[in-house]
Amino acid sequence: DVKVTQSSRYLVKRTGEKVFLECVQDMDHENMFWYRQDPGLGLRLIYFSYDVKMKEKGDIPEGYSVSREKKERFSLILESASTNQTSMYLCASNLAGPNYNEQFFGPGTRLTVL
Amino acid sequence: AQKITQTQPGMFVQEKEAVTLDCTYDTSDQSYGLFWYKQPSSGEMIFLIYQGSYDEQNATEGRYSLNFQKARKSANLVISASQLGDSAMYFCAMREVYNQGGKLIFGQGTELSVKP
């Protein structure tokens, strides 16, 4: 059974803290993605990676960075958390190749920055 | 630029009735794929159905079907015989075939409530 896991379901941090969100997939997928979800805005792509050590900016990369040292793990880093980064963060992965390859999602991390 | 539009922020449907969730898209690419995902209140995203731009027949998966009208650039989701468990957020998404890494562009979502 395919699985994408995220390190925390709920997280509360303070403004200015460095925050790490971890995502692990066990499907040997090449592609991994980080989205943020806000009401009325749907899911917006922050960063994605199509190979180890490769990363590409998505639509809203400002204030975020990522790391992919191993194929199965993709980390999202908030260097200095701010209140406007309070959101739901979703990690996803899929196989490289044909466009019918669905993305598999993790359960999400609801981050609150105080 | 690619864009997905879902114009119905919220919808209600009576249990056992059919419901259509609207999705329109904009792309200059000829080759693309369209996806629908369901997100229950628990938060996980569940893949429902896929339609390729060159597929001649509308996709179906159980009670879900995709009404694909290419000329109108619409990809509406039809849920037949609604059940209480269908209450959730529904997202339409698109992938252009040649975009690097298989990125998806998502719509704003439609919240469906099924009434008993």
Side-chain angles (χ1 to χ4, degrees), chain A residues 1-49:
Chain A
D1 197 18
V2 297
K3 204 158 186 186
V4 179
T5 57
Q6 294 182 230
S7 49
S8 307
R9 290 300 303 271
Y10 300 93
L11 209 52
V12 179
K13 295 292 182 180
R14 296 211 174 271
T15 302
E17 280 192 77
K18 191 169 186 175
V19 182
F20 292 88
L21 302 183
E22 304 283 340
C23 175
V24 177
Q25 51 95 3
D26 65 0
M27 298 164 280
D28 204 34
H29 285 168
E30 292 86 2
N31 301 331
M32 296 189 75
F33 308 84
W34 274 107
Y35 295 92
R36 92 174 252 177
Q37 181 181 0
D38 299 288
L41 298 177
L43 279 72
R44 293 178 292 166
L45 183 65
I46 305 171
Y47 267 97
F48 69 102
S49 168

Side-chain angles (χ1 to χ4, degrees), chain A residues 9 31 33 35 37 40-43 45 48 50 56 90 94 97-100 102-103 105 107, chain B residues 32-33 35 37 39 42-45 47 50 91 95 97 100-108:
Chain A
R9 290 300 303 271
N31 301 331
F33 308 84
Y35 295 92
Q37 181 181 0
L41 298 177
L43 279 72
L45 183 65
F48 69 102
Y50 52 90
E56 292 285 337
L90 290 160
N94 72 349
N99 61 327
Y100 54 78
E102 66 185 271
Q103 288 188 13
F105 284 81
Chain B
Y32 51 88
F35 300 77
Y37 282 84
Q39 186 182 43
S42 53
E44 77 272 26
M45 295 282 282
F47 166 73
Y50 167 81
F91 291 97
R95 173 186 170 176
V97 171
Q100 194 171 44
K103 293 188 295 181
L104 288 178
I105 304 296
F106 284 85
Q108 307 92 318

Side-chain angles (χ1 to χ4, degrees), chain B residues 42-115:
Chain B
S42 53
E44 77 272 26
M45 295 282 282
I46 301 166
F47 166 73
L48 295 177
I49 197 165
Y50 167 81
Q51 178 86 41
S53 59
Y54 291 117
D55 294 341
E56 293 185 354
Q57 292 197 325
N58 287 341
T60 60
E61 289 286 348
R63 293 186 300 110
Y64 304 108
S65 61
L66 201 152
N67 184 1
F68 181 47
Q69 297 187 45
K70 195 169 180 177
R72 299 179 63 182
K73 291 189 174 178
S74 75
N76 299 339
L77 178 71
V78 180
I79 305 174
S80 63
S82 298
Q83 301 172 356
L84 296 178
D86 294 334
S87 293
M89 283 290 290
Y90 289 81
F91 291 97
C92 180
M94 177 176 67
R95 173 186 170 176
E96 291 180 341
V97 171
Y98 297 109
N99 79 38
Q100 194 171 44
K103 293 188 295 181
L104 288 178
I105 304 296
F106 284 85
Q108 307 92 318
T110 296
E111 185 170 10
L112 178 66
S113 298
V114 181
K115 296 184 190 179

Side-chain angles (χ1 to χ4, degrees), chain A residues 50-99:
Chain A
Y50 52 90
D51 202 353
V52 175
K53 295 192 186 294
M54 304 299 288
K55 59 186 179 184
E56 292 285 337
K57 291 181 181 178
D59 300 315
I60 51 164
E62 297 78 20
Y64 303 94
S65 62
V66 290
S67 171
R68 191 162 181 206
E69 296 295 320
K70 293 185 178 181
K71 190 175 185 180
E72 67 271 17
R73 187 178 298 268
F74 192 35
S75 302
L76 180 69
I77 303 155
L78 287 66
E79 294 289 344
S80 177
S82 64
T83 54
N84 63 12
Q85 292 178 310
T86 291
S87 187
M88 170 75 118
Y89 291 88
L90 290 160
C91 175
S93 72
N94 72 349
L95 286 168
N99 61 327

